[in-house]
Amino acid sequence: MEIYQIRAFVTVARLGNLTKAADALSLTQPAVTAQIKALEQSLGVALFERSAGRLTLAKAGEVLLPTAESLLVLGAQFKAEAQQLQGSLHGAVDLGVPSEQPDFLRLGELASAVREQLPLIELKTLTLPTSVLHEHISTGRLHAALTIAANPPRAVHWMPLRSVRYRIALPVPLANALKRGGWREVAQLPWLDGPAGSHTHLLLRDMFERHGLAPRVVMQHDDQANLDALVRAGAGCALLREETALAGAAGGEFIVWGQARADATLGFMMPHERASEPVLVALSSLMQKIWKSRRLPMEPEVTAEQTTNRVTL
């Protein structure tokens, strides 16, 4: 039994017309009908009598209607009180983040939402490699973190946000010299890598280890958010987010090598033992709203079961 099902029942009962109720709820008639049927199945009684395409309150519906209306009132009161409590939440939240573009992580939207809805909360971000983020969450040194991982982190509260795909980007001169080379030749090219334990480092190493190889790293760079600038300058090859790699290739700035790609997941994690703290519950709720409100076609919603490590050649 869900609150939206109760709302559909009360709205149809009040208006006495399925079409008007659907309009009032901004739903289709089949959707309203489905919600009422689901509620009836959950309760085990018929709330309406159906005849000649019309719905009239059944005896059980008449008896239960006042209680249903009271539940809606209590639900609205419950939500209002929760919103008031949000304003009283205060303190500092240490949020770990991977080295990525703030727009990609939607940090600006998060900061804006915290300022508006949790005005007494101070958000502090700390950029760390993936493995360190996981360690700090597991040990409680961070309140929460955004992270990019090939597999769901263990022993933490994990909320996947979107899938992320990485491609191999080569400077144009190196790509022209490579011609028809394979993985062994690509591994011998100069490579730009992130620090040990970072998401790009882990994905890059895993990609080459599957072929019994290791990339020839000539530079480790902490700022993985701007590796594309180094590839563009000809410093070496790098693993870039697919949208960045394809955009650069379309502009003739570098070359995307073959169909090789590595898949990972951007997610939000918290320590299990702190996930029920009011401040973190509120922060988690904001995070969900931000990512569900502006999901792009290339950002499919993911579940924990869909975040297994995948490397396609």
Side-chain angles (χ1 to χ4, degrees):
M1 181 174 62
E2 302 290 345
I3 192 69
Y4 63 82
Q5 296 170 346
I6 297 174
R7 185 176 294 109
F9 161 54
V10 170
T11 305
V12 173
R14 286 173 177 171
L15 298 179
N17 183 283
L18 189 59
T19 301
K20 291 181 180 179
D23 290 339
L25 294 167
S26 298
L27 296 172
T28 63
Q29 291 186 36
V32 176
T33 300
Q35 289 182 9
I36 291 174
K37 285 183 178 179
L39 180 60
E40 289 176 327
Q41 291 176 356
S42 175
L43 297 174
V45 296
L47 300 173
F48 293 93
E49 294 178 349
R50 298 161 175 83
S51 60
R54 299 186 63 183
L55 292 179
T56 57
L57 272 176
K59 183 64 177 178
E62 293 177 355
V63 173
L64 294 174
L65 181 59
T67 303
E69 291 175 329
S70 298
L71 286 174
L72 291 183
V73 172
L74 288 173
Q77 180 182 351
F78 181 78
K79 184 175 181 179
E81 290 178 357
Q83 290 174 338
Q84 291 175 359
L85 287 173
Q86 279 189 332
S88 66
L89 296 177
H90 63 280
V93 173
D94 295 323
L95 177 69
V97 297
S99 178
E100 273 291 355
Q101 293 289 346
D103 285 349
F104 169 70
L105 299 176
R106 299 187 182 175
L107 288 180
E109 293 174 62
L110 177 62
S112 178
V114 169
R115 176 178 56 79
E116 293 176 0
Q117 300 181 43
L118 302 170
L120 301 181
I121 296 296
E122 180 185 1
L123 197 61
K124 299 180 179 179
T125 61
L126 184 64
T127 303
L128 294 168
T130 291
S131 61
V132 179
L133 289 172
H134 187 202
E135 178 190 353
H136 281 17
I137 290 294
S138 299
T139 58
R141 294 174 64 183
L142 284 174
H143 294 100
L146 287 165
T147 190
I148 298 172
N151 298 298
R154 297 180 179 180
V156 298
H157 183 83
W158 169 251
M159 181 173 70
L161 299 174
R162 65 156 287 181
S163 58
V164 193
R165 174 165 290 172
Y166 289 85
R167 303 288 295 272
I168 292 177
L170 312 178
V172 174
L174 292 181
N176 291 338
L178 184 62
K179 301 293 184 182
R180 296 178 178 272
W183 280 97
R184 187 171 300 279
E185 288 73 22
V186 170
Q188 291 305 310
L189 295 175
W191 276 88
L192 312 172
D193 197 4
S198 64
H199 59 285
T200 51
H201 173 82
L202 296 173
L203 290 169
L204 181 65
R205 294 289 167 164
D206 181 69
M207 177 178 281
F208 278 98
E209 283 176 0
R210 289 169 180 264
H211 298 273
L213 301 168
R216 183 171 68 89
V217 175
V218 297
M219 179 181 182
Q220 277 197 343
H221 191 53
D222 283 350
D223 186 9
Q224 299 151 83
N226 294 297
L227 280 178
D228 58 311
L230 297 178
V231 179
R232 192 178 299 113
C237 314
L239 205 58
L240 303 179
R241 277 191 290 113
E242 185 172 60
E243 53 265 40
T244 302
L246 295 181
E253 300 171 345
F254 39 73
I255 302 296
V256 174
W257 184 67
Q259 295 299 313
R261 54 187 183 270
D263 290 340
T265 300
L266 170 67
F268 180 68
M269 60 180 176
M270 299 179 290
H272 271 307
E273 64 275 13
R274 305 188 67 171
S276 60
E277 292 182 6
V279 171
L280 296 185
V281 170
L283 185 65
S284 178
S285 177
L286 288 182
M287 193 71 71
Q288 287 181 311
K289 291 177 182 178
I290 288 169
W291 282 91
K292 288 184 180 295
S293 65
R294 188 170 65 86
R295 191 174 298 283
L296 302 177
M298 68 185 301
E299 296 179 6
E301 186 170 2
V302 293
T303 62
E305 290 74 22
Q306 295 173 309
T307 55
T308 54
N309 185 16
R310 300 182 299 278
V311 176
T312 306
L313 311 180

